Amino acid sequence: MPRTFRAAAAQMGPTQMGDARSHTLQRMIQLLENAARDGAVFVVFPELAFTTFFPRWLLDNSELDRHYEREMPNPEVQPLFDRAKELKIGFYVGYAELTSDGERYNSSILVGPDGTIIGKYRKVHLPGSVEPRQGSRFQQLEKRYFEYGSLGFPAFHTSPEFGNAIIGMLICNDRRWPEAWRVLGLQETELVCVGYNSAGYDPNGGSGEDAALRTFHSKLVVQANAYMNATWAIAVAKAGTEDGACLIGGSCIVDPNGLIVSEAHTLGDEFLVADIDLHLCRQGKDKMFNFEAHRRPDQYRMILERTKAIAPKMEGV
């Protein structure tokens, strides 16, 4: 039985602090329509797709609150849901979530072709700091503006339109942590969606990383972890110069062998498509990465016991 569907990565160029929400929504709808015309039935948008990457700024509460969504969908983003439903196309999208209890998360949702929300994920690996760095033009304050994700790393069964794929979600920095991918792999995940807003410089200060190196690392972790978990992966950037800060591009669609099958070539709004053949996952899942046959979790206890690295004791000391 064929298990193939066409998916698209909808890379977005920058969204400036002063951009109207309606303008951003129109850009997203245009990407959605372009992908649909090319036969895609599923589209992946970036992290914090509806706003600028506001954690680069130190904001007071009155400035901060307007960047969060109190429900999903809501009247401001409903046009995206409506158009997707008309086109019978599903999507992944990242956004800043403010719950009814006042909790704030960097979140994403998976939406089916009928407009229903299949699942939600909340970012676990928050980078940056709570307090701003003195003297820095741009900050990385996700730890100040978001709580750590509370939902784990769930995977979701999807509909026949998506080949009944099992789909998982990550957000930005999560893609750099192999534990996140392995938890999804242990649920037989066949497609991992990753939205990101990654700086083209070291966001924690210093000059040891530039846009080229950070783009290389972005692709490297997606390719390596897709291979090691025998899954497709779609990684999608918000890119370009946003509020004066550089964001990398490098959006790509990666197959279960870790090969890039489609990638972006600009730092602006751009869509790329690939046919997702879920049968390609079986080579890795049934052989090299047959977890039941080869994993030895009793030897991995240190991963759960430690958060920091501790060097082994030197003999004779």
Side-chain angles (χ1 to χ4, degrees):
M1 179 180 175
R3 298 188 65 216
T4 301
F5 65 99
R6 180 163 290 187
Q11 177 174 289
M12 295 177 66
T15 297
Q16 311 303 339
M17 182 76 81
D19 285 353
R21 178 67 68 91
S22 58
H23 172 68
T24 303
L25 261 289
Q26 190 52 52
R27 289 170 54 204
M28 296 174 72
I29 290 170
Q30 185 65 61
L31 285 165
L32 193 80
E33 291 174 341
N34 290 344
R37 276 194 293 271
D38 215 358
V41 297
F42 181 68
V43 174
V44 178
F45 289 104
E47 173 190 30
L48 298 177
F50 302 115
T51 65
T52 190
F53 184 74
F54 61 89
R56 70 168 64 91
W57 305 111
L58 181 62
L59 304 173
D60 62 32
N61 285 341
S62 62
E63 297 174 300
L64 186 63
D65 283 353
R66 68 186 180 90
H67 294 95
Y68 291 84
E69 315 300 325
R70 289 164 174 76
E71 57 182 348
M72 188 60 70
N74 59 63
E76 286 195 314
V77 304
Q78 189 65 51
L80 178 68
F81 283 74
D82 292 343
R83 187 63 179 131
K85 185 175 180 180
E86 289 171 1
L87 295 169
K88 296 182 173 58
I89 191 167
F91 61 93
Y92 158 110
V93 67
Y95 65 101
E97 177 189 6
L98 177 57
T99 73
S100 58
D101 295 327
E103 296 172 330
R104 301 173 188 265
Y105 297 99
N106 189 339
S107 299
S108 63
I109 52 173
L110 185 64
V111 180
D114 60 355
T116 60
I117 294 177
I118 298 170
K120 178 189 289 186
Y121 169 70
R122 291 169 172 162
K123 186 175 181 178
V124 169
H125 298 100
L126 297 177
S129 59
V130 174
E131 297 303 324
R133 296 189 316 277
Q134 296 300 314
S136 294
R137 181 183 178 192
F138 302 116
Q139 303 291 335
Q140 177 29 299
L141 296 174
E142 287 193 57
K143 283 185 167 71
R144 186 184 188 92
Y145 297 146
F146 299 118
E147 298 180 50
Y148 289 103
S150 58
L151 303 175
F153 298 98
F156 303 94
H157 285 280
T158 61
S159 62
E161 291 89 343
F162 307 154
N164 297 306
I166 299 174
I167 298 180
M169 295 180 277
L170 300 175
I171 299 174
C172 199
N173 191 41
D174 289 319
R175 73 195 190 279
R176 301 185 179 103
W177 297 86
E179 298 92 333
W181 293 82
R182 185 47 47 92
V183 172
L184 291 175
L186 287 167
Q187 298 172 79
E188 286 281 349
T189 297
E190 298 167 301
L191 171 61
V192 178
C193 304
V194 188
Y196 60 95
N197 289 197
S198 292
Y201 52 89
D202 185 344
N204 298 302
S207 58
E209 297 180 336
D210 61 12
L213 182 60
R214 287 178 64 80
T215 302
F216 167 73
H217 286 158
S218 181
K219 294 179 182 179
L220 173 67
V221 294
V222 175
Q223 291 181 257
N225 284 288
Y227 166 65
M228 289 186 291
N229 292 281
T231 182
W232 285 87
I234 303 177
V236 184
K238 177 142 60 67
T241 302
E242 185 176 84
D243 295 330
C246 173
L247 294 173
I248 65 169
S251 300
C252 57
I253 301 176
V254 176
D255 77 7
N257 291 308
L259 298 174
I260 294 176
V261 298
S262 187
E263 61 183 315
H265 298 286
T266 74
L267 295 178
D269 290 3
E270 181 180 355
F271 77 97
L272 39 148
V273 299
D275 291 323
I276 308 298
D277 183 352
L278 298 171
H279 287 300
L280 292 182
C281 298
R282 296 321 316 168
Q283 172 72 17
K285 290 186 185 299
D286 295 339
K287 297 179 182 178
M288 183 64 73
F289 299 107
N290 181 331
F291 294 153
E292 184 178 13
H294 306 307
R295 289 190 80 249
R296 294 295 176 263
D298 60 302
Q299 301 300 314
Y300 310 150
R301 292 195 185 110
M302 193 181 296
I303 290 176
L304 292 177
E305 294 169 353
R306 292 186 186 176
T307 54
K308 70 174 184 177
I310 303 173
K313 291 184 179 179
M314 296 179 64
E315 293 187 13
V317 176

